[in-house]
Amino acid sequence: SGVRVRWSAGSETWRIRADRGQVGQVVHNLILNAAQASGANGEVTVAAENVMILPGSGGPLAPGRYVKLTVEDRGPGIPEAIRDRIFDPYFTTKESGTGLGLATCYSIMKRHGGHIAIESALGVGTVATAHFPA
């Protein structure tokens, strides 16, 4: 496709403990969704960085070291009415979709002790973040 990908990662990004194939599936699904949302000549930004989750910070992650993967597109965004369903199995907005991509990502991240989240604004785009335990 004509989608441009921008990549950034620190030279000292921590290693993660994970099944290589499953993590590859998460990364593949997130980038594929972003590329499809971006259109034929869009742009996707992929970044990785080390983050520390501190005790008492709230949120779904246990305190500790994580590698945060961010995949961002400037597509049309996800309508608010369906945002709560995007991780549901078999839910899709695509004619040829199965609705298993993000559901699979969610399941893989949970099994690995990580977390995945999606933020989106109509007309602005979508940002997916996946935190992998380091």
Side-chain angles (χ1 to χ4, degrees):
S1 77
V3 174
R4 293 178 309 277
V5 177
R6 291 181 186 232
W7 169 256
S8 72
S11 61
E12 299 296 322
T13 304
W14 297 323
R15 291 181 155 294
I16 62 172
R17 284 195 184 160
D19 179 278
R20 181 184 304 260
Q22 290 183 2
V23 169
Q25 190 172 2
V26 170
V27 173
H28 173 81
N29 283 336
L30 293 179
I31 293 174
L32 179 63
N33 282 352
Q36 289 173 344
S38 294
N41 296 310
E43 182 176 285
V44 173
T45 302
V46 181
E49 65 179 313
N50 299 330
V51 295
M52 288 290 298
I53 303 296
L54 302 174
S57 64
L61 293 168
R65 298 173 0 139
Y66 293 84
V67 174
K68 176 182 166 185
L69 177 73
T70 305
V71 179
E72 181 176 358
D73 69 64
R74 292 182 182 86
I78 302 168
E80 188 174 345
I82 65 169
R83 283 187 206 146
D84 290 342
R85 300 183 61 205
I86 61 175
F87 293 115
D88 291 353
Y90 307 111
F91 176 77
T92 185
T93 59
K94 300 172 188 169
E95 284 184 29
S96 62
T98 64
L100 293 175
L102 288 177
T104 299
C105 290
Y106 182 86
S107 176
I108 289 170
M109 294 306 297
K110 188 172 181 179
R111 282 194 313 267
H112 280 83
H115 183 70
I116 186 169
I118 305 284
E119 294 181 25
S120 188
L122 289 179
V124 178
T126 301
V127 178
T129 55
H131 286 78
F132 298 93

